[in-house]
Amino acid sequence: TLLGLGALRFAARRRATRDDAPPEDTVPAWTRAEQELLAALARVESDPHAAADDAALCLRRYVRRRTGRAVESATTEEIAAQRPPGRLRSRWPEWVALLRRLDALRFPGHLESEESRQALRESIEEARAFVERSVPPRELR
């Protein structure tokens, strides 16, 4: 009986802690991704490598938020080998290709020319378009 009473108290404390905790992030995944990609776009001139890193990570976070897949630390090869999740199944190849382009630009020596920085800007804009096209209509209401 003491064990049962202890378990009840523990469960009550956990509920109280959960109720007092701040609510989960209420910003929709697509809104957050849009904000992060705009911030990355603004960084292209001052720090293009950081902008490329930010954009690639943003796309990985977006997919995690949308699908629950932990892809933040996976390589593009590992991601490409995965079975596409139901929510983004039709857009998975497009996302992987875009992620590959961003990842290729992230490495030192790839963003020194204006042409490569323009390619980065275009890739970030493509990422924004990808996010916009992947939002279910019910989430736009």
Side-chain angles (χ1 to χ4, degrees), residues 4-66:
L5 185 57
L8 286 174
R9 284 184 183 163
F10 176 76
R13 267 188 262 132
R14 282 190 70 201
R15 265 194 314 279
T17 302
R18 235 181 301 139
D19 292 342
D20 294 341
E24 285 293 311
D25 187 13
T26 57
V27 177
W30 61 273
T31 301
R32 167 132 336 134
E34 174 75 10
Q35 293 166 347
E36 291 175 1
L37 288 167
L38 285 172
L41 194 57
R43 268 184 106 172
V44 169
E45 289 310 313
S46 63
D47 193 348
H49 290 99
D53 284 343
D54 292 349
L57 183 57
C58 171
L59 281 181
R60 285 176 163 88
R61 283 185 194 134
Y62 177 71
V63 166
R64 179 187 42 82
R65 289 180 194 124
R66 295 289 311 195

Side-chain angles (χ1 to χ4, degrees), residues 16-139:
T17 302
R18 235 181 301 139
D19 292 342
D20 294 341
E24 285 293 311
D25 187 13
T26 57
V27 177
W30 61 273
T31 301
R32 167 132 336 134
E34 174 75 10
Q35 293 166 347
E36 291 175 1
L37 288 167
L38 285 172
L41 194 57
R43 268 184 106 172
V44 169
E45 289 310 313
S46 63
D47 193 348
H49 290 99
D53 284 343
D54 292 349
L57 183 57
C58 171
L59 281 181
R60 285 176 163 88
R61 283 185 194 134
Y62 177 71
V63 166
R64 179 187 42 82
R65 289 180 194 124
R66 295 289 311 195
T67 67
R69 293 257 179 109
V71 293
E72 286 100 326
S73 61
T75 66
T76 51
E77 291 76 21
E78 292 168 335
I79 291 168
Q82 293 180 13
R83 184 171 174 233
R87 283 189 164 183
L88 290 175
R89 181 168 293 135
S90 65
R91 292 192 167 87
W92 192 257
E94 176 189 359
W95 176 70
V96 172
L98 181 55
L99 193 57
R100 277 191 172 124
R101 282 196 304 277
L102 284 167
D103 281 348
L105 291 168
R106 292 172 45 202
F107 298 102
H110 290 91
L111 290 167
E112 276 59 40
S113 71
E114 178 54 36
E115 290 142 350
S116 62
R117 287 190 298 278
Q118 183 58 33
L120 175 58
R121 283 184 211 93
E122 291 169 4
S123 293
I124 293 172
E125 287 295 344
E126 287 177 43
R128 290 180 61 212
F130 170 83
V131 168
E132 187 177 307
R133 287 190 308 273
S134 68
V135 178
R138 68 181 179 280
E139 288 188 28

